[in-house]
Amino acid sequence: MTTGQPGTGKAQPTPTGTDAETRSASASGTPAQPDRTSDAVSGKTSAPTAETTAPIAGAVTDQPRSSDGGTTGATTSGDPQPSKGGGTKEQPAGDAATGEGDGRKGSAATGGTEGGSATSDSTAKDSSPAKDGTVKASDTAKADSTAKADSAINAGKDGAPAKDGTDGGSEDVPVKGTGSGKRRWWSRGKRAGRTDGQAKPDGDTKTDEAKPDNPDRWEAFASAPEPRPSIVTRAGGAVGRFLIHEWTLATLGALALAVLMTWPTLRYPRYTLPQDYWDPSLQAWQMAWSGHILLAEPARLWQSNTFFPELWSFAFSDTLLGYAPAGMLGSGPEDAVLRYNIMFVLAHALATLGAYALARQLGAGRIGAAVAGVSYTYAPWLLAQAGHLHVLSNGGIPLALAMLARGHGWSLRHGYRPERRHDGWVYAGWLVAAWQLSLGFGIGLPFAYFLACAVIVTAVLYYARRLRTGQAVPFGRRLFLADLLGGLFFAGVGLLMAFPFFKVTELHPYAERTIDDISIFSPPASGFVTAPAESRIWGGLHEGARAALPWHPEMTLLPGFVLYALAAGGLFFSVWRLRHRLLLLAGVLVTMAFAMGTRFFDGTFTYVPLFEHLPGWNGLRTPGRLMLWTTLLLGLLAAGAVTALTDRVRELTAQRIPSWPGPWLRTATLLPLLLVAVEGLNTTPHPVVPTQPAAMRSTEGPLLVLPSNQSLDQHVMLWSTSGFPDVVNGGSGFTPRQLDDVRRVSQSFPDQTSVDYLRTLGVRSVVLLRGQVVGTPWEITIDAPVESLGISRQDVGDAVVYRL
């Protein structure tokens, strides 16, 4: 039984077996393309058919072909024909309908051999299909270039029609190829140009080497390659990644919070100072002097222009020497005030960032670390220290500890991880520690002793573990060298800073503190729950408690009730191990005992031994400032609790379906951070700085400004930043006896005794401020004649200038 083929007028035999599958596929609109490769037959070739010259109507005539003549299985829709095995259908190798292929390898009659090829061994070797059931792309490209020549030769060789009544085209029959287990499809035909009846494998002729390497026609359907980004695009991407990095966001957040929490410091930064205008004026001068003299005459750093003619006068109090680079910018009192206010805000930001970095390095989460940073910087007790920049400049302490811990690969939560060691962070940590020490010994000296103790404890634990286990804990020579060099640098900076202070105590032995001085500033236990007057939340409520304290500016030591609560919760619910929580608690209690000075059992077992035996410790007059370490440890305990809370919330929200409460629960984890920040709100006053007298800008030094006392002399120091003339005035932690003598003798100025005394000191000018003489002896003598004294008198603005 035959069926008619539309468009040809010829009849074809009805296919059976596997050939029917190909016919059914063609009838459904996806006809199989006739093949053009030759079948290698032992001594003969198959006759050409007319299908190669008269294709079926509606079939695709221009399709990619494999090197053995088979099509790649493309349909008119552009999609490959799927086989039953899920792959692409290929053309048959033998002619199962006519029975040809007797004695050939891979014929349909014999069931097929390896590769399912009807060609000779050499041809099968070159044109075998891929194992996945598809035809090689290189074979397709080769067959396409010879398709027309094969068709012409096959059509005109004998000129006789095929037995099936067609025009000599080859029949497509399926055969099963061995090896892959998939149905293979091959085509039958003749290879043109062979007279011995043997089909030549593709690629064996020299002409094959000259064939163009046509690209796969299906590449047009592949996804387009991503364009190479330009330099601008790559730079923009790098900037974007930098802006959204955790540490960038943490830095920006710390800066923004510092501006808000210290407001209105930056509202009028050239004219106002936080807290008061006495100690801040002194510290504004310190920054200005260090920057000026390091540029002009570095050897004279410690011989400042104040306290003339005293030596080592720059070491009469903490120096803020680490801020000298900022002091190199600008000149005059207004720039000094502006510089102070900027550093005041930046000190808060650095403290927040440093404590955040330390908590993160130890293993706290982001919100927990933020709680530690904010509580460390904006604890209520620090509001009473708003006029002491050297106390607020404590951010180098946690930042250096974070860098050292990271360089040594150690964290509180994960322990020692040798693979995370990095000597670069160790060097950076020691540099930051040395910079912190250069800001002043009031905060830096306890930090130095803490680092020394940490080094000793670490070395002991290292060797103890080595002896106990018999194995050397990985440390490395590079890390040891970094610690050695960094520690020596830190110690060198400390000794260089300490030398002028030792010279001062040698020249002025009365400047040393006594244990009675320490007792005056030692706070009682009630100070730990009493807030200063500058606290917006607790200031008014604790007014009665402050009245009971002898010196409340240094005795109101409340770190925050929210911080107390979070730290207490961290003892029971935390990401820290139990032994670490107990160690943090022990540190809190010990530092509190030391902060009480002589109030804790008279300091017999706490502060007094340090005062008597540790070098330099007797220069610290306010034990309450050790509360800084208590606040840091409480913050770490709180960070462990908040981190455990956020981790638990994250687990709960991940398990809930639907997760609609998730955003609300995650937002609720910010509540501890918000409460800590609110408790740190302040009502710090910002008084206007007294205006510099015009006489201070034109009078040559050395000069004396009257009236002279501790408070007014700090203004004089600030005013002297215009040109830095030598001035007798000065304010510091102690008053030199010579300055006491000058103040006593000058009470009768102008008279012969005071004029002669000032001349012996080298003083050339005296500036008497009219606005400050009310209620003083100069209120009467300011307009008295001075011709008989051999000096001159001149009114300059609101001051009177006497030239000696």
Side-chain angles (χ1 to χ4, degrees):
M1 178 178 179
T2 61
T3 58
Q5 182 178 357
T8 61
K10 298 181 183 293
Q12 295 181 350
T14 302
T16 61
T18 56
D19 191 29
E21 297 179 7
T22 306
R23 294 301 184 183
S24 62
S26 300
S28 63
T30 56
Q33 182 68 19
D35 205 309
R36 298 186 182 276
T37 56
S38 60
D39 295 334
V41 184
S42 178
K44 65 178 181 178
T45 60
S46 60
T49 64
E51 261 186 35
T52 57
T53 58
I56 300 174
V60 177
T61 59
D62 188 13
Q63 296 185 6
R65 300 176 180 273
S66 63
S67 61
D68 58 2
T71 64
T72 60
T75 65
T76 56
S77 62
D79 297 327
Q81 290 183 354
S83 66
K84 290 183 178 181
T88 305
K89 286 189 177 183
E90 299 169 354
Q91 300 297 335
D95 194 347
T98 60
E100 290 187 6
D102 296 339
R104 287 177 280 173
K105 292 182 179 180
S107 65
T110 60
T113 59
E114 182 176 354
S117 175
T119 60
S120 64
D121 291 342
S122 61
T123 305
K125 186 175 183 180
D126 182 66
S127 59
S128 60
K131 292 182 179 181
D132 59 354
T134 60
V135 181
K136 295 180 180 179
S138 59
D139 296 338
T140 304
K142 293 177 181 178
D144 190 55
S145 63
T146 60
K148 292 184 180 180
D150 291 343
S151 176
I153 294 175
N154 291 338
K157 185 171 181 74
D158 295 328
K163 294 180 180 181
D164 58 359
T166 61
D167 295 334
S170 63
E171 287 284 335
D172 295 336
V173 294
V175 295
K176 294 183 178 179
T178 62
S180 64
K182 296 183 180 179
R183 188 178 298 275
R184 306 284 184 172
W185 299 87
W186 297 88
S187 298
R188 184 169 63 100
K190 285 189 176 182
R191 173 63 62 185
R194 297 290 292 179
T195 57
D196 56 356
Q198 182 71 25
K200 188 174 182 179
D202 292 343
D204 289 350
T205 61
K206 293 182 179 180
T207 57
D208 289 338
E209 298 178 359
K211 293 178 183 178
D213 187 11
N214 295 328
D216 189 352
R217 298 187 182 185
W218 298 109
E219 288 183 358
F221 296 93
S223 59
E226 295 184 3
R228 179 180 178 82
S230 63
I231 297 179
V232 176
T233 303
R234 294 197 300 271
V239 171
R241 290 189 297 271
F242 172 78
L243 291 177
I244 64 175
H245 195 275
E246 176 187 354
W247 295 109
T248 304
L249 296 177
T251 302
L252 296 177
L255 287 171
L257 187 63
V259 172
L260 294 176
M261 297 293 286
T262 60
W263 190 259
T265 299
L266 295 183
R267 186 177 183 182
Y268 303 108
R270 298 174 67 90
Y271 309 105
T272 63
L273 286 171
Q275 189 75 14
D276 55 56
Y277 45 56
W278 296 304
D279 283 354
S281 295
L282 163 65
Q283 293 166 344
W285 166 81
Q286 288 174 330
M287 284 189 284
W289 168 256
S290 59
H292 160 76
I293 202 63
L294 288 178
L295 290 176
E297 193 178 352
R300 196 191 158 193
L301 171 65
W302 298 102
Q303 318 300 332
S304 74
N305 70 312
T306 60
F307 295 100
F308 178 84
E310 296 284 356
L311 301 176
W312 307 99
S313 56
F314 193 50
F316 284 0
S317 58
D318 278 339
T319 61
L320 293 175
L321 186 59
Y323 289 150
M328 298 177 182
L329 305 176
S331 62
E334 289 187 358
D335 287 345
V337 172
L338 173 64
R339 184 186 305 115
Y340 179 91
N341 285 321
I342 291 176
M343 300 312 297
F344 179 81
V345 175
L346 292 180
H348 285 79
L350 181 62
T352 305
L353 183 63
Y356 176 88
L358 178 60
R360 287 289 284 154
Q361 173 60 30
L362 295 182
R366 293 182 177 88
I367 299 178
V371 169
V374 174
S375 64
Y376 176 75
T377 307
Y378 303 104
W381 75 272
L382 283 169
L383 297 178
Q385 305 293 330
H388 301 145
L389 184 58
H390 61 291
V391 177
L392 300 177
S393 300
N394 51 54
I397 294 176
L399 183 60
L401 294 177
M403 290 178 171
L404 290 173
R406 181 168 183 175
H408 289 85
W410 183 84
S411 72
L412 197 63
R413 190 175 183 180
H414 306 290
Y416 179 53
R417 292 178 288 182
E419 68 278 4
R420 292 178 176 262
R421 293 169 296 168
H422 197 292
D423 59 326
W425 285 110
V426 176
Y427 285 114
W430 284 112
L431 287 174
V432 173
W435 173 80
Q436 176 65 56
L437 187 63
S438 70
L439 294 176
F441 283 109
I443 297 299
L445 188 63
F447 178 46
Y449 282 117
F450 174 83
L451 286 179
C453 293
V455 171
I456 295 173
V457 171
T458 302
V460 170
L461 293 178
Y462 176 84
Y463 286 106
R465 181 176 178 182
R466 184 173 181 177
L467 292 174
R468 185 177 69 253
T469 61
Q471 297 178 352
V473 181
F475 194 80
R477 295 182 178 178
R478 295 181 59 181
L479 205 60
F480 176 78
L481 182 63
D483 281 321
L484 180 62
L485 296 179
L488 289 176
F489 177 78
F490 176 80
V493 171
L495 291 176
L496 290 176
M497 290 284 298
F499 178 77
F501 290 92
F502 284 120
K503 294 294 294 184
V504 169
T505 56
E506 179 182 341
L507 295 173
H508 307 278
Y510 51 87
E512 293 188 37
R513 312 293 180 186
T514 64
I515 198 65
D516 294 332
D517 296 330
I518 303 302
S519 299
I520 296 175
F521 297 100
S522 296
S526 60
F528 296 121
V529 291
T530 305
E534 291 82 3
S535 174
R536 184 176 294 274
I537 304 299
W538 307 114
L541 297 175
H542 292 181
E543 183 176 357
R546 286 194 304 273
L549 300 176
W551 185 252
H552 66 83
E554 297 290 347
M555 296 182 180
T556 51
L557 302 180
L558 175 68
F561 291 111
V562 175
L563 184 59
Y564 276 143
L566 293 175
L571 295 175
F572 305 97
F573 180 69
S574 177
V575 295
W576 313 133
R577 294 182 178 89
L578 178 60
R579 66 175 182 271
H580 294 152
R581 287 178 253 168
L582 295 178
L583 286 174
L584 290 173
L585 176 62
V588 168
L589 298 177
V590 169
T591 53
M592 278 185 168
F594 280 106
M596 292 178 66
T598 59
R599 293 295 186 102
F600 186 80
F601 297 103
D602 296 327
T604 305
F605 307 104
T606 56
Y607 200 89
V608 172
L610 301 181
F611 183 86
E612 293 178 347
H613 301 291
L614 287 185
W617 201 273
N618 56 5
L620 307 180
R621 67 186 179 100
T622 50
R625 294 175 183 177
L626 293 175
M627 191 65 186
L628 188 70
W629 293 91
T630 306
T631 307
L632 181 60
L633 296 175
L634 288 172
L636 294 178
L637 274 173
V642 174
T643 301
L645 174 64
T646 55
D647 290 348
R648 183 57 179 161
V649 168
R650 190 179 299 111
E651 294 174 0
L652 291 176
T653 55
Q655 296 171 1
R656 292 188 64 87
I657 300 176
S659 60
W660 66 265
W664 295 104
L665 291 176
R666 286 190 292 269
T667 303
T669 59
L670 297 174
L671 184 60
L673 176 61
L674 179 62
L675 293 177
V676 168
V678 168
E679 198 170 14
L681 294 176
N682 67 88
T683 58
T684 303
H686 288 73
V688 177
V689 181
T691 305
Q692 180 192 32
M696 290 290 297
R697 295 192 292 268
S698 57
T699 305
E700 296 181 0
L703 60 89
L704 169 67
V705 179
L706 296 175
S708 174
N709 55 56
Q710 175 73 13
S711 300
L712 291 178
D713 281 5
Q714 292 173 332
H715 296 155
V716 175
M717 298 173 78
L718 176 63
W719 295 337
S720 71
T721 55
S722 293
F724 293 96
D726 289 333
V727 294
V728 179
N729 306 74
S732 69
F734 80 100
T735 302
R737 287 180 178 174
Q738 186 176 61
L739 181 56
D740 269 339
D741 293 340
V742 170
R743 289 172 178 172
R744 178 177 50 82
V745 172
S746 62
Q747 290 289 325
S748 59
F749 184 87
D751 66 348
Q752 195 63 52
T753 303
S754 60
V755 170
D756 292 342
Y757 179 75
L758 293 176
R759 281 175 174 170
T760 59
L761 293 179
V763 177
R764 301 177 58 183
S765 305
V766 176
V767 177
L768 185 58
L769 304 176
R770 287 184 178 273
Q772 302 292 334
V773 299
V774 178
T776 67
W778 299 288
E779 187 177 5
I780 301 174
T781 61
I782 191 172
D783 293 319
V786 294
E787 289 79 5
S788 61
L789 300 175
I791 62 176
S792 63
R793 177 183 177 278
Q794 180 185 5
D795 289 325
V796 179
D798 59 348
V800 179
V801 179
Y802 300 88
R803 290 181 174 84
L804 309 184

